[in-house]
Short mmCIF file of all heavy atoms in Angstrom, two decimals:
data_model
loop_
_atom_site.label_atom_id
_atom_site.label_comp_id
_atom_site.label_asym_id
_atom_site.label_seq_id
_atom_site.Cartn_x
_atom_site.Cartn_y
_atom_site.Cartn_z
N TYR T 29 -86.50 80.34 157.34
CA TYR T 29 -85.74 79.21 157.21
C TYR T 29 -85.21 78.64 158.44
O TYR T 29 -84.65 79.33 159.31
CB TYR T 29 -84.45 79.74 156.35
CG TYR T 29 -83.38 78.64 155.99
CD1 TYR T 29 -83.60 77.29 156.11
CD2 TYR T 29 -82.13 79.16 155.45
CE1 TYR T 29 -82.51 76.41 155.79
CE2 TYR T 29 -81.11 78.24 155.22
CZ TYR T 29 -81.33 76.91 155.35
OH TYR T 29 -80.34 76.04 154.91
N LEU T 30 -85.44 77.28 158.64
CA LEU T 30 -85.21 76.61 159.85
C LEU T 30 -84.12 75.37 159.55
O LEU T 30 -84.42 74.62 158.76
CB LEU T 30 -86.38 76.08 160.52
CG LEU T 30 -86.21 75.24 161.90
CD1 LEU T 30 -85.64 76.05 162.97
CD2 LEU T 30 -87.55 74.59 162.28
N ARG T 31 -83.05 75.53 160.28
CA ARG T 31 -82.14 74.44 160.22
C ARG T 31 -82.19 73.60 161.40
O ARG T 31 -82.19 73.99 162.50
CB ARG T 31 -80.65 74.87 160.06
CG ARG T 31 -80.40 75.70 158.74
CD ARG T 31 -79.08 76.39 158.64
NE ARG T 31 -78.08 75.35 158.67
CZ ARG T 31 -77.38 74.97 157.57
NH1 ARG T 31 -77.72 75.42 156.45
NH2 ARG T 31 -76.48 74.06 157.56
N ILE T 32 -82.37 72.17 161.24
CA ILE T 32 -82.59 71.30 162.48
C ILE T 32 -81.39 70.29 162.55
O ILE T 32 -81.30 69.49 161.61
CB ILE T 32 -83.87 70.57 162.24
CG1 ILE T 32 -85.09 71.50 162.14
CG2 ILE T 32 -84.18 69.63 163.42
CD1 ILE T 32 -86.39 70.85 161.81
N SER T 33 -80.71 70.42 163.58
CA SER T 33 -79.75 69.42 163.93
C SER T 33 -80.26 68.23 164.54
O SER T 33 -80.88 68.40 165.66
CB SER T 33 -78.52 69.95 164.79
OG SER T 33 -77.69 68.95 165.19
N VAL T 34 -80.28 66.97 163.99
CA VAL T 34 -81.05 65.88 164.65
C VAL T 34 -80.09 64.98 165.52
O VAL T 34 -80.58 64.10 166.15
CB VAL T 34 -81.66 65.13 163.50
CG1 VAL T 34 -82.84 65.98 162.86
CG2 VAL T 34 -80.68 64.58 162.43
N THR T 35 -78.81 65.21 165.40
CA THR T 35 -77.86 64.47 166.22
C THR T 35 -76.53 65.09 166.29
O THR T 35 -76.20 65.86 165.45
CB THR T 35 -77.67 63.05 165.57
OG1 THR T 35 -76.77 62.29 166.39
CG2 THR T 35 -77.01 63.16 164.21
N ASP T 36 -75.77 64.86 167.38
CA ASP T 36 -74.49 65.29 167.45
C ASP T 36 -73.45 64.24 167.00
O ASP T 36 -72.20 64.44 167.04
CB ASP T 36 -74.14 65.74 168.92
CG ASP T 36 -74.31 64.52 170.03
OD1 ASP T 36 -75.05 63.57 169.51
OD2 ASP T 36 -73.80 64.73 171.04
N ARG T 37 -73.94 63.12 166.61
CA ARG T 37 -73.03 62.01 166.26
C ARG T 37 -72.61 62.09 164.66
O ARG T 37 -73.37 62.72 163.97
CB ARG T 37 -73.79 60.59 166.40
CG ARG T 37 -73.89 60.35 167.86
CD ARG T 37 -74.97 59.33 168.13
NE ARG T 37 -74.88 58.74 169.52
CZ ARG T 37 -75.46 59.45 170.57
NH1 ARG T 37 -75.96 60.59 170.40
NH2 ARG T 37 -75.36 58.82 171.80
N ILE T 65 -89.75 67.39 167.38
CA ILE T 65 -89.30 68.20 166.27
C ILE T 65 -90.55 68.55 165.36
O ILE T 65 -90.61 69.68 164.88
CB ILE T 65 -88.26 67.39 165.45
CG1 ILE T 65 -86.99 67.21 166.33
CG2 ILE T 65 -87.98 68.16 164.06
CD1 ILE T 65 -85.98 66.27 165.64
N VAL T 80 -86.83 74.12 155.39
CA VAL T 80 -86.34 73.39 156.37
C VAL T 80 -85.14 72.54 155.93
O VAL T 80 -85.12 71.92 154.80
CB VAL T 80 -87.36 72.40 157.15
CG1 VAL T 80 -86.59 71.41 158.05
CG2 VAL T 80 -88.43 73.14 157.79
N ARG T 81 -84.01 72.64 156.69
CA ARG T 81 -82.88 71.84 156.29
C ARG T 81 -82.40 70.88 157.55
O ARG T 81 -82.33 71.46 158.64
CB ARG T 81 -81.69 72.69 155.86
CG ARG T 81 -80.36 71.95 155.67
CD ARG T 81 -79.21 72.77 155.04
NE ARG T 81 -79.58 73.24 153.89
CZ ARG T 81 -79.33 72.68 152.69
NH1 ARG T 81 -78.85 71.43 152.73
NH2 ARG T 81 -79.66 73.19 151.52
N ILE T 82 -82.31 69.59 157.26
CA ILE T 82 -81.96 68.71 158.29
C ILE T 82 -80.35 68.61 158.28
O ILE T 82 -79.77 68.33 157.24
CB ILE T 82 -82.53 67.35 158.16
CG1 ILE T 82 -84.03 67.57 158.17
CG2 ILE T 82 -82.11 66.38 159.14
CD1 ILE T 82 -84.90 66.27 157.86
N THR T 83 -79.71 68.72 159.50
CA THR T 83 -78.31 68.66 159.59
C THR T 83 -78.01 67.70 160.85
O THR T 83 -78.79 67.09 161.39
CB THR T 83 -77.64 70.08 159.85
OG1 THR T 83 -78.02 70.56 161.12
CG2 THR T 83 -78.22 70.99 158.72
N GLY T 84 -76.71 67.66 161.23
CA GLY T 84 -76.22 67.03 162.23
C GLY T 84 -75.18 67.92 163.01
O GLY T 84 -75.38 69.05 163.16
N GLY T 85 -74.05 67.21 163.56
CA GLY T 85 -73.57 65.98 163.20
C GLY T 85 -73.91 65.47 161.77
O GLY T 85 -74.08 66.20 160.82
N GLU T 86 -73.85 64.11 161.67
CA GLU T 86 -74.22 63.56 160.43
C GLU T 86 -75.75 62.98 160.55
O GLU T 86 -76.02 62.04 161.31
CB GLU T 86 -73.34 62.39 160.04
CG GLU T 86 -73.80 61.50 158.84
CD GLU T 86 -74.25 62.32 157.66
OE1 GLU T 86 -73.50 63.23 157.22
OE2 GLU T 86 -75.34 61.93 157.06
N PRO T 87 -76.75 63.62 159.86
CA PRO T 87 -78.07 63.37 160.02
C PRO T 87 -78.43 61.93 159.66
O PRO T 87 -79.47 61.27 160.20
CB PRO T 87 -78.81 64.33 159.18
CG PRO T 87 -77.87 64.75 158.06
CD PRO T 87 -76.54 64.76 158.90
N LEU T 88 -77.74 61.24 158.75
CA LEU T 88 -78.08 59.89 158.39
C LEU T 88 -77.75 58.82 159.36
O LEU T 88 -78.06 57.58 159.15
CB LEU T 88 -77.50 59.58 156.99
CG LEU T 88 -78.01 60.40 155.81
CD1 LEU T 88 -77.42 60.00 154.52
CD2 LEU T 88 -79.63 60.37 155.80
N VAL T 89 -76.98 59.25 160.38
CA VAL T 89 -76.69 58.23 161.50
C VAL T 89 -77.90 58.15 162.44
O VAL T 89 -77.94 57.35 163.32
CB VAL T 89 -75.43 58.43 162.29
CG1 VAL T 89 -74.23 58.37 161.30
CG2 VAL T 89 -75.43 59.69 163.00
N ARG T 90 -78.85 59.05 162.42
CA ARG T 90 -79.97 59.11 163.29
C ARG T 90 -80.99 57.95 162.83
O ARG T 90 -81.43 58.03 161.76
CB ARG T 90 -80.69 60.56 163.22
CG ARG T 90 -81.99 60.55 164.10
CD ARG T 90 -81.73 60.73 165.62
NE ARG T 90 -82.96 60.72 166.34
CZ ARG T 90 -83.59 61.68 166.84
NH1 ARG T 90 -83.16 63.01 166.81
NH2 ARG T 90 -84.71 61.63 167.61
N ILE T 93 -84.31 58.15 160.18
CA ILE T 93 -84.28 59.54 159.70
C ILE T 93 -85.32 59.75 158.60
O ILE T 93 -85.91 60.77 158.49
CB ILE T 93 -82.90 59.99 159.32
CG1 ILE T 93 -82.84 61.54 158.97
CG2 ILE T 93 -82.48 59.28 158.09
CD1 ILE T 93 -83.06 62.32 160.23
N LEU T 96 -88.62 60.82 160.03
CA LEU T 96 -88.68 62.26 160.34
C LEU T 96 -88.90 63.10 159.06
O LEU T 96 -89.65 64.05 159.07
CB LEU T 96 -87.44 62.75 161.12
CG LEU T 96 -87.34 64.22 161.40
CD1 LEU T 96 -88.51 64.61 162.34
CD2 LEU T 96 -86.03 64.54 161.98
N VAL T 97 -88.31 62.81 157.94
CA VAL T 97 -88.37 63.58 156.80
C VAL T 97 -89.85 63.45 156.26
O VAL T 97 -90.43 64.53 155.96
CB VAL T 97 -87.43 62.90 155.68
CG1 VAL T 97 -87.82 63.47 154.23
CG2 VAL T 97 -86.03 63.17 155.93
N ILE T 100 -92.00 65.80 158.49
CA ILE T 100 -91.82 67.23 158.15
C ILE T 100 -92.39 67.57 156.71
O ILE T 100 -92.99 68.53 156.60
CB ILE T 100 -90.30 67.60 158.25
CG1 ILE T 100 -89.83 67.45 159.59
CG2 ILE T 100 -90.15 69.06 157.62
CD1 ILE T 100 -88.31 67.68 159.71
N LEU T 109 -87.59 71.28 151.58
CA LEU T 109 -87.05 70.29 152.59
C LEU T 109 -85.75 69.64 151.99
O LEU T 109 -85.78 68.95 151.10
CB LEU T 109 -88.12 69.28 152.99
CG LEU T 109 -87.68 68.17 153.96
CD1 LEU T 109 -87.14 68.84 155.25
CD2 LEU T 109 -88.81 67.23 154.21
N SER T 110 -84.65 69.97 152.64
CA SER T 110 -83.42 69.59 152.24
C SER T 110 -82.62 68.92 153.46
O SER T 110 -82.89 68.97 154.55
CB SER T 110 -82.68 70.71 151.55
OG SER T 110 -82.41 71.70 152.55
N MET T 111 -81.31 68.51 153.05
CA MET T 111 -80.43 67.84 154.09
C MET T 111 -78.97 68.10 153.67
O MET T 111 -78.73 68.15 152.52
CB MET T 111 -80.65 66.29 154.13
CG MET T 111 -79.91 65.59 155.09
SD MET T 111 -80.08 63.85 155.12
CE MET T 111 -81.67 63.77 155.89
N THR T 112 -78.18 68.38 154.76
CA THR T 112 -76.71 68.43 154.55
C THR T 112 -76.17 67.23 155.17
O THR T 112 -76.47 66.80 156.28
CB THR T 112 -76.12 69.69 155.22
OG1 THR T 112 -76.64 70.82 154.58
CG2 THR T 112 -74.59 69.66 155.13
N THR T 113 -75.34 66.44 154.36
CA THR T 113 -74.83 65.18 154.73
C THR T 113 -73.35 65.04 154.14
O THR T 113 -73.05 65.60 153.27
CB THR T 113 -75.68 64.05 154.23
OG1 THR T 113 -75.04 62.77 154.48
CG2 THR T 113 -76.00 64.26 152.70
N ASN T 114 -72.61 64.13 154.85
CA ASN T 114 -71.28 63.76 154.25
C ASN T 114 -71.46 62.78 153.14
O ASN T 114 -70.42 62.52 152.55
CB ASN T 114 -70.35 63.31 155.42
CG ASN T 114 -70.80 62.12 155.95
OD1 ASN T 114 -71.37 61.17 155.56
ND2 ASN T 114 -70.36 61.97 157.36
N LEU T 130 -87.95 64.12 150.91
CA LEU T 130 -86.74 65.00 150.86
C LEU T 130 -86.57 65.45 149.48
O LEU T 130 -86.77 64.68 148.41
CB LEU T 130 -85.47 64.21 151.25
CG LEU T 130 -84.37 65.22 151.57
CD1 LEU T 130 -84.40 66.02 152.73
CD2 LEU T 130 -83.00 64.27 151.74
N ASN T 134 -77.30 68.68 150.18
CA ASN T 134 -75.87 69.28 150.09
C ASN T 134 -74.91 68.20 150.67
O ASN T 134 -75.13 67.72 151.70
CB ASN T 134 -75.69 70.52 150.87
CG ASN T 134 -76.38 71.83 150.19
OD1 ASN T 134 -77.51 71.60 149.58
ND2 ASN T 134 -75.70 72.87 150.20
N ASN T 175 -70.65 70.89 149.21
CA ASN T 175 -70.05 71.84 150.11
C ASN T 175 -68.62 71.67 150.19
O ASN T 175 -68.20 70.61 150.71
CB ASN T 175 -70.68 71.74 151.51
CG ASN T 175 -72.17 72.26 151.55
OD1 ASN T 175 -72.64 72.77 150.65
ND2 ASN T 175 -72.80 72.06 152.72
N ARG T 230 -82.56 82.80 158.89
CA ARG T 230 -82.57 81.51 159.51
C ARG T 230 -82.49 81.44 160.93
O ARG T 230 -81.89 82.37 161.63
CB ARG T 230 -81.37 80.67 158.81
CG ARG T 230 -79.98 81.20 159.09
CD ARG T 230 -78.90 80.43 158.39
NE ARG T 230 -78.99 80.71 156.90
CZ ARG T 230 -78.20 80.33 155.97
NH1 ARG T 230 -77.28 79.34 156.39
NH2 ARG T 230 -78.40 80.56 154.80
N LEU T 231 -83.12 80.40 161.42
CA LEU T 231 -82.92 80.03 162.90
C LEU T 231 -82.46 78.59 162.94
O LEU T 231 -82.54 77.80 161.90
CB LEU T 231 -84.33 80.10 163.57
CG LEU T 231 -85.04 81.36 163.65
CD1 LEU T 231 -86.41 81.21 164.16
CD2 LEU T 231 -84.21 82.48 164.39
N ARG T 232 -81.79 78.19 164.04
CA ARG T 232 -81.22 76.93 164.09
C ARG T 232 -81.82 76.09 165.42
O ARG T 232 -81.78 76.70 166.54
CB ARG T 232 -79.69 76.90 164.25
CG ARG T 232 -79.07 77.38 162.94
CD ARG T 232 -77.56 77.58 163.07
NE ARG T 232 -76.89 77.63 161.84
CZ ARG T 232 -76.78 78.68 161.10
NH1 ARG T 232 -77.44 79.90 161.57
NH2 ARG T 232 -76.14 78.77 159.93
N LEU T 233 -82.28 75.00 165.17
CA LEU T 233 -82.66 74.13 166.33
C LEU T 233 -81.63 72.94 166.49
O LEU T 233 -81.45 72.19 165.65
CB LEU T 233 -84.10 73.59 165.96
CG LEU T 233 -84.80 72.71 167.06
CD1 LEU T 233 -85.03 73.48 168.41
CD2 LEU T 233 -86.01 71.99 166.65
N THR T 234 -81.11 72.89 167.72
CA THR T 234 -80.19 71.92 168.03
C THR T 234 -80.76 70.59 168.32
O THR T 234 -81.98 70.59 168.65
CB THR T 234 -79.11 72.27 169.13
OG1 THR T 234 -79.86 72.28 170.38
CG2 THR T 234 -78.61 73.69 168.92
N ALA T 235 -80.09 69.49 168.38
CA ALA T 235 -80.56 68.16 168.75
C ALA T 235 -81.06 68.09 170.18
O ALA T 235 -82.04 67.34 170.41
CB ALA T 235 -79.46 67.09 168.57
N LYS T 278 -70.60 74.50 169.24
CA LYS T 278 -69.66 73.71 168.39
C LYS T 278 -70.40 73.36 167.07
O LYS T 278 -71.61 73.21 167.07
CB LYS T 278 -69.31 72.41 169.11
CG LYS T 278 -68.61 72.54 170.45
CD LYS T 278 -67.23 73.15 170.22
CE LYS T 278 -66.54 73.25 171.61
NZ LYS T 278 -65.19 73.96 171.55
N PHE T 279 -69.70 73.38 165.93
CA PHE T 279 -70.39 73.14 164.68
C PHE T 279 -71.09 71.69 164.69
O PHE T 279 -72.09 71.62 164.11
CB PHE T 279 -69.27 73.17 163.55
CG PHE T 279 -68.90 74.48 163.21
CD1 PHE T 279 -67.52 74.80 163.38
CD2 PHE T 279 -69.61 75.38 162.72
CE1 PHE T 279 -67.15 76.10 163.07
CE2 PHE T 279 -69.29 76.74 162.37
CZ PHE T 279 -67.89 77.07 162.68
N TYR T 280 -70.49 70.73 165.35
CA TYR T 280 -71.13 69.41 165.33
C TYR T 280 -72.42 69.38 166.15
O TYR T 280 -73.08 68.28 166.05
CB TYR T 280 -70.19 68.29 165.78
CG TYR T 280 -69.40 68.55 167.10
CD1 TYR T 280 -69.98 68.41 168.41
CD2 TYR T 280 -68.12 69.14 167.13
CE1 TYR T 280 -69.32 68.57 169.48
CE2 TYR T 280 -67.38 69.31 168.36
CZ TYR T 280 -68.15 69.03 169.48
OH TYR T 280 -67.40 69.26 170.74
N THR T 281 -72.72 70.36 166.97
CA THR T 281 -73.95 70.32 167.70
C THR T 281 -75.02 71.20 167.18
O THR T 281 -76.16 71.20 167.40
CB THR T 281 -73.76 70.74 169.21
OG1 THR T 281 -73.07 71.97 169.31
CG2 THR T 281 -72.83 69.61 169.82
N ILE T 282 -74.48 72.28 166.35
CA ILE T 282 -75.44 73.28 165.80
C ILE T 282 -75.68 73.01 164.42
O ILE T 282 -76.76 73.36 163.78
CB ILE T 282 -74.82 74.62 165.99
CG1 ILE T 282 -74.47 74.85 167.41
CG2 ILE T 282 -75.80 75.67 165.52
CD1 ILE T 282 -73.74 76.19 167.75
N GLY T 283 -74.70 72.38 163.57
CA GLY T 283 -75.02 72.01 162.25
C GLY T 283 -74.43 72.93 161.29
O GLY T 283 -74.70 72.79 160.08
N GLY T 284 -73.65 73.95 161.67
CA GLY T 284 -72.85 74.81 160.67
C GLY T 284 -73.87 75.76 159.96
O GLY T 284 -75.06 75.90 160.29
#
Side-chain angles (χ1 to χ4, degrees):
Y29 180 13
L30 176 66
R31 296 173 66 97
I32 304 172
S33 172
V34 296
T35 181
D36 58 339
R37 289 161 170 77
I65 294 172
V80 171
R81 175 175 295 275
I82 298 172
T83 71
E86 168 50 45
L88 294 183
V89 303
R90 176 80 186 256
I93 189 64
L96 177 64
V97 167
I100 295 175
L109 178 56
S110 61
M111 178 181 290
T112 295
T113 171
N114 61 34
L130 192 70
N134 283 42
N175 289 353
R230 61 191 68 182
L231 300 173
R232 289 174 166 82
L233 181 65
T234 72
K278 301 294 181 183
F279 287 118
Y280 50 78
T281 58
I282 306 174

